[in-house]
Amino acid sequence: MARLCTSVGGFRGGTRLGAVGLGERCVGVFYWFLKFVALGPLLKLVFRPYADGVDHVPAEGPAILASNHLSYADWLFMPLVVPRKVSFVAKAEYFTTPGIKGWLQKTFFSGTGNIPIDRAGADAAAGALLSAKKVLGEGELFGIYPEGTRSHDGRLYRGKTGIARLALETGVPVVPVAVVGTDVVAPPGKKFGRWTRPHVRFGKPLDFSRYAGMENDRFILRSITDEIMYEIMRLSGQEYVDMYATRAKEESKKADSAKGDEQRKPAA
């Protein structure tokens, strides 16, 4: 069992057998089981996703896949078209809930490439950075949504600079990614929408080695982030809004609330 999990999960030469438990090693097995047996074939049969530029994703070695975020289905369809495993960070609560439900939740999220945010002495943002570094340090692919949250209206919002810091501190390339159509399959606020073929586009890897050692310069971090977001915009065709998505959502809710209050006012 241990040897099976080691070979399929991608641990080279068994060198990590003593460093991790059997459960952790078997996460790799479950990932490939879901992708090629249980879940992936069904998604491909029903939705027939297709991709362009997959050859821009390195065949080996670490890389950051920076994607737009239209739907909760993004993290299913983007890794589905990539031959390699793609890891994302997820809230630690998904991995620490007790009981049978917690075990099932942990197994599913781990098996679909999610890893818990490392909150050891860090806030959520710093914890996500630590978790990402671990993935990249093992030579794997790390997926990230620079907007920080899903777009509520289909537009592309300002990227957070954590991705720039990650790229500079690890020295790995950033591959811009655009996922199109997932907001039709699973619109914001709904579990299901309409059928369409999700389209995933990968751009050429971006190299920021020219900024090495400048990860504490906020102007450099913003410049790198904006360059990444421009490439994502170019690939996705989305309208760009120079505002953080969280703020845009708050303003949209306030506007909807004010409009509702106005409509509820009795006629004079």
Side-chain angles (χ1 to χ4, degrees), residues 78-241:
M78 189 263 273
L80 193 62
V81 299
V82 178
R84 299 176 58 191
K85 179 182 177 182
V86 182
S87 296
F88 297 85
V89 291
K91 292 187 295 185
E93 289 78 5
Y94 291 151
F95 301 84
T96 57
T97 303
I100 297 296
K101 179 182 178 181
W103 180 83
L104 291 172
Q105 185 172 265
K106 176 182 177 181
T107 301
F108 177 78
F109 277 96
S110 297
T112 49
N114 289 275
I115 56 174
I117 292 176
D118 187 346
R119 291 179 182 264
D123 57 23
L129 190 64
L130 285 173
S131 297
K133 285 182 178 180
K134 289 179 181 179
V135 172
L136 296 170
E138 294 176 354
E140 299 181 1
L141 299 176
F142 179 74
I144 187 172
Y145 302 111
E147 292 168 277
T149 187
R150 284 175 286 170
S151 171
H152 66 289
D153 59 5
R155 297 188 293 178
L156 184 69
Y157 287 88
R158 195 180 199 207
K160 296 188 175 182
T161 59
I163 185 173
R165 182 176 295 277
L166 179 62
L168 291 185
E169 291 186 0
T170 60
V172 306
V174 178
V175 179
V177 184
V179 183
V180 180
T182 50
D183 55 336
V184 176
V185 174
K190 298 180 181 179
K191 290 185 177 181
F192 303 104
R194 306 189 313 275
W195 182 91
T196 191
R197 292 187 67 190
H199 186 185
V200 187
R201 301 187 182 108
F202 298 89
K204 294 181 180 179
L206 303 175
D207 177 17
F208 298 107
S209 59
R210 61 190 183 278
Y211 297 120
M214 304 177 73
E215 59 271 12
N216 292 320
D217 187 320
R218 62 189 182 92
F219 296 106
I220 293 296
L221 296 179
R222 171 48 54 194
S223 176
I224 291 173
T225 304
D226 288 347
E227 183 176 341
I228 294 170
M229 298 311 294
Y230 175 80
E231 290 301 318
I232 295 175
M233 178 190 70
R234 188 179 61 81
L235 291 167
S236 69
Q238 292 171 272
E239 177 187 348
Y240 179 76
V241 181

Side-chain angles (χ1 to χ4, degrees), residues 30-45:
F30 190 50
Y31 178 90
W32 299 114
F33 172 75
L34 286 175
K35 184 169 183 175
F36 292 115
V37 179
L39 185 59
L42 179 62
L43 290 175
K44 287 184 177 181
L45 177 65

